[in-house]
């Protein structure tokens, strides 16, 4: 092997090593930036008032910004719960309410009131299962939700009172603000 060939091989190795260190540094910096961003905005995803499904110490947390009148949300809700159930102890679902559709603010406040009675998920199931009946996008009638909740464990009198409270409105506003963030 000549000196010229050896020099070319060594230059190639140096270039390859430099490229490898550059790639490593780039992805390391990107990973650090993502971690820093997640830490800075962790309060957006972790609110004490948010309903959770799954263990608190789960390594994976899915934060779902959820509109009770949204057909897509209705379609994905059971799938996300199945993911949590299928990975016992490893995944947690956090639900944040974002009433984008007309009338869904009333439904969201009903869910907030249900959460006060530790009944968010059973009531959410009823709300979603009856969505076709109350959430017609041309003329929604979310007050009909109360009729679908008869016979459930929800104390409707307390729930109606809480749904109309400033606390429920503040929770909903916080969720919307966080969704915008």
């Amino acid at each position: 092997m000549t000196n010229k060939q050896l020099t070319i091989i060594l230059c190639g190795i140096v270039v390859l090593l430099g490229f490898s260190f550059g790639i490593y540094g780039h992805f390391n910096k990107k990973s650090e930036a993502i971690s820093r961003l997640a830490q800075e905005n962790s309060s957006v995803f972790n609110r004490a008032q948010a309903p959770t499904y799954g263990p608190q110490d789960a390594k994976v947390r899915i934060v779902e910004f959820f509109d009770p009148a949204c057909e897509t949300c209705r379609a994905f809700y059971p799938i996300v719960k199945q993911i949590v159930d299928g990975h016992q102890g490893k995944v947690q679902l956090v639900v944040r309410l974002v009433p984008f559709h007309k009338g869904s603010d009333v439904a969201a406040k009903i869910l907030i009131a249900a959460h006060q009675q530790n009944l968010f998920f059973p009531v959410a199931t009823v709300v979603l299962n009856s969505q076709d009946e109350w959430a017609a996008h041309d003329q929604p009638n979310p007050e009909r939700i109360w009729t679908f909740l008869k016979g459930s464990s929800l104390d409707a009198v307390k729930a109606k009172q809480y749904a109309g409270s400033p606390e429920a409105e503040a929770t909903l506003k916080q969720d919307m603000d966080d969704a915008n963030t």
Side-chain angles (χ1 to χ4, degrees), residues 126-165:
V126 171
V127 168
L128 292 175
N129 288 341
S130 62
Q131 187 186 75
D132 290 338
E133 302 294 322
W134 64 265
H137 293 300
D138 55 337
Q139 289 193 318
N141 186 0
E143 291 296 329
R144 287 194 67 204
I145 294 170
W146 296 110
T147 62
F148 299 110
L149 291 171
K150 287 183 179 168
S152 73
S153 299
L154 185 72
D155 182 330
V157 173
K158 286 182 182 177
K160 284 180 182 180
Q161 185 178 19
Y162 193 82
S165 73

Side-chain angles (χ1 to χ4, degrees), residues 56-167:
Q56 294 294 332
D57 62 344
K59 294 198 185 285
V60 175
R61 178 175 290 137
I62 299 170
V63 180
E64 181 177 11
F65 287 89
F66 175 80
D67 183 336
C70 174
E71 294 165 347
T72 303
C73 291
R74 176 179 65 185
F76 279 98
Y77 178 79
I79 295 168
V80 174
K81 280 186 75 182
Q82 285 175 351
I83 291 170
V84 175
D85 291 339
H87 295 87
Q88 285 293 330
K90 297 177 184 174
V91 181
Q92 180 190 51
L93 169 63
V94 178
V95 179
R96 306 296 299 282
L97 297 164
V98 288
F100 293 124
H101 290 82
K102 184 178 176 185
S104 65
D105 58 329
V106 173
K109 289 177 185 176
I110 291 170
L111 290 171
I112 291 168
H115 181 53
Q116 289 298 310
Q117 296 180 34
N118 295 316
L119 293 170
F120 179 88
F121 293 100
V123 170
T125 300
V126 171
V127 168
L128 292 175
N129 288 341
S130 62
Q131 187 186 75
D132 290 338
E133 302 294 322
W134 64 265
H137 293 300
D138 55 337
Q139 289 193 318
N141 186 0
E143 291 296 329
R144 287 194 67 204
I145 294 170
W146 296 110
T147 62
F148 299 110
L149 291 171
K150 287 183 179 168
S152 73
S153 299
L154 185 72
D155 182 330
V157 173
K158 286 182 182 177
K160 284 180 182 180
Q161 185 178 19
Y162 193 82
S165 73
E167 292 87 358

Side-chain angles (χ1 to χ4, degrees), residues 10 15 18 26-27 52 60 77 79 107 112 122 129 171 176-177 181:
L10 286 175
V15 168
H26 170 74
F27 284 112
T52 59
V60 175
Y77 178 79
I79 295 168
I112 291 168
N129 288 341
T171 297
M176 286 298 293
D177 290 347
T181 298

